[in-house]
Structures are given as structure tokens and as C-alpha cells.
């Protein structure tokens, strides 16, 4: 009897998770929320998503390494599809108490390169140092510890079985909120009503 109840509960949990992933796929905007770090291991950062009553792992994808899991973005509006997915330059596990994430401002990097070209064309002798300093100034380093609250985006994957991925939001992303706190439950909005057909 106990084994049957356990199997039933596990099946119910899997069904709820699958339904949630399907609901994520139906959204026309990315789902941003907050997460609390509760464990840091060499393999990744485990977080609690209080607004979703779920636990998950933050993906350690970087700009150079890219995304190794296909993401489902078919239902996103054109405006949201055009939003750049800003991945960190470096994701480093320092120890069991802290991890470090380095972000580069893409707009700032372009400005630094433009300054570099201008300095080189002008024959400036200190152009290399100026370039290096300009690029370093557009980096943001986040040092996060246990119980830190971070903003994340929850994205459904284009995989079988259906799944989702949790990623940190770049401080340079338009949707970044620097003072996010898990203030209370955030309910998923109902799917957009289908357009009425005239018959």
C-alpha cells in the first residue's frame, strides 16, 4: 500500500512538472522570477524557486561555451525573440560557500573597441593600456554566497522528455531587477485567450 501511494505521488509530481513546462511553452514572454541559493557544489549551484515551490540547478553556460541544450522559443513574440540571451563570460565555483560570475557589457565592449580603433588611427602610444582599461571597466563580477537571492529566467527546453532550464539574468539585460526579493507568490498568468473566430 505504501509503495502504491509513493508511486502515485511521484506520478502526480511528474505530471505537474510536465504541465508546468507545457504552460511555459505557451507563454509569449520569458518567465523571470527569483531563486535562493541553498547549495554550492563543484558540479553546479542548487537553488530554490520559492514562487514556484520548486528546486533546480542554475545552468553554468558561458558566452564562449554556449548553450548545450536546445531551448523552446517558438511561442515568444518577435520582440522577445530579438532579446539577446546574455550569458556570462565566466562561471566559477570558488568553494562550497561562494561562486563567482563575470559578465561583460556587450554595448560597453563595442564602445571600447571603437575607442581602440580611434586611438590606433591617431597613433596613440598608450592605446593598448587605454583599451585594456576600457574593457575591464565594462565587466561586472558578482560574488554570490549561500542564501543569496538571484534573478533567474526559467526557459522550457525543446527536448524529450519535456524539461526546463534555469539561468541567471545578466545585470546588463533589460529585464534585470537589481533588488529582487521573494516577496510573495507570483502566479503564472492565464494563457492568452484565443482570438474569436467569426463564422
Amino acid at each position: 500500500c505504501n509503495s502504491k501511494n509513493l508511486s502515485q505521488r511521484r506520478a502526480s509530481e511528474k505530471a505537474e512538472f510536465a504541465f508546468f513546462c507545457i504552460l511555459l511553452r505557451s507563454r509569449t514572454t520569458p518567465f523571470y522570477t527569483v531563486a535562493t541559493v541553498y547549495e554550492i557544489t563543484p558540479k553546479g549551484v542548487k537553488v530554490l524557486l520559492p514562487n514556484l515551490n520548486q528546486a533546480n540547478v542554475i545552468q553554468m553556460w558561458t558566452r564562449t561555451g554556449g548553450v548545450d541544450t536546445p531551448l523552446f522559443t517558438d511561442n515568444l513574440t518577435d520582440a522577445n525573440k530579438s532579446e539577446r540571451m546574455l550569458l556570462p563570460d565566466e562561471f566559477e565555483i570558488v568553494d562550497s560557500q561562494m561562486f563567482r560570475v563575470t559578465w561583460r557589457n556587450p554595448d560597453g565592449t563595442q564602445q571600447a573597441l571603437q575607442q581602440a580603433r580611434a586611438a590606433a588611427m591617431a597613433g596613440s602610444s598608450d592605446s593598448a593600456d587605454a583599451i585594456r582599461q576600457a574593457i575591464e571597466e565594462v565587466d561586472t563580477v558578482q560574488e554570490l554566497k549561500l542564501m543569496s537571492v538571484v534573478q533567474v529566467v526559467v526557459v522550457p527546453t525543446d527536448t524529450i522528455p519535456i524539461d526546463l532550464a534555469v539561468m541567471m539574468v545578466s545585470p546588463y539585460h533589460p529585464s534585470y531587477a537589481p533588488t529582487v526579493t521573494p516577496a510573495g507568490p507570483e502566479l503564472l498568468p492565464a494563457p492568452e485567450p484565443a482570438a474569436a473566430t467569426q463564422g
Side-chain angles (χ1 to χ4, degrees):
C1 183
N2 289 337
S3 61
K4 290 184 178 179
N5 290 337
L6 180 60
S7 298
Q8 183 179 4
R9 184 168 69 251
R10 287 177 177 174
S12 177
E13 291 173 351
K14 290 181 178 180
E16 288 179 1
F17 180 78
F19 177 77
F20 176 67
C21 292
I22 293 172
L23 190 58
L24 282 178
R25 285 188 174 192
S26 71
R27 290 174 58 88
T28 58
T29 57
F31 182 69
Y32 298 97
T33 186
V34 294
T36 302
V37 178
Y38 75 89
E39 187 176 356
I40 302 173
T41 72
K43 295 183 178 180
V45 177
K46 299 181 180 181
V47 293
L48 294 173
L49 305 170
N51 293 338
L52 303 178
N53 194 27
Q54 290 185 13
N56 214 301
V57 177
I58 291 180
Q59 297 296 331
M60 297 173 61
W61 297 327
T62 61
R63 188 172 58 86
T64 53
V67 176
D68 59 11
T69 300
L71 303 178
F72 185 89
T73 59
D74 291 358
N75 280 358
L76 294 181
T77 61
D78 291 339
N80 286 300
K81 281 184 180 180
S82 65
E83 277 191 3
R84 292 169 297 181
M85 181 181 295
L86 303 180
L87 297 175
D89 272 43
E90 185 177 359
F91 201 116
E92 177 189 1
I93 303 295
V94 179
D95 52 35
S96 62
Q97 301 294 317
M98 184 175 75
F99 67 100
R100 184 180 296 118
V101 187
T102 302
W103 306 87
R104 175 153 295 175
N105 182 347
D107 297 329
T109 302
Q110 291 301 318
Q111 294 172 6
L113 292 176
Q114 291 173 4
Q115 294 172 5
R117 296 189 186 99
M121 293 179 64
S124 174
S125 59
D126 61 347
S127 59
D129 291 338
I131 295 167
R132 190 178 301 109
Q133 181 179 358
I135 292 178
E136 288 176 353
E137 287 177 351
V138 299
D139 284 351
T140 292
V141 178
Q142 294 176 311
E143 293 187 343
L144 302 162
K145 301 180 180 181
L146 291 175
M147 305 311 294
S148 292
V149 177
V150 296
Q151 187 180 15
V152 296
V153 57
V154 183
V155 185
T157 61
D158 193 9
T159 57
I160 298 176
I162 194 168
D163 202 352
L164 56 82
V166 178
M167 297 176 289
M168 288 182 61
V169 178
S170 167
Y172 299 109
H173 195 279
S175 299
Y176 179 73
T179 56
V180 292
T181 56
E186 177 184 347
L187 300 179
L188 284 172
E192 292 83 351
T197 56
Q198 296 179 354

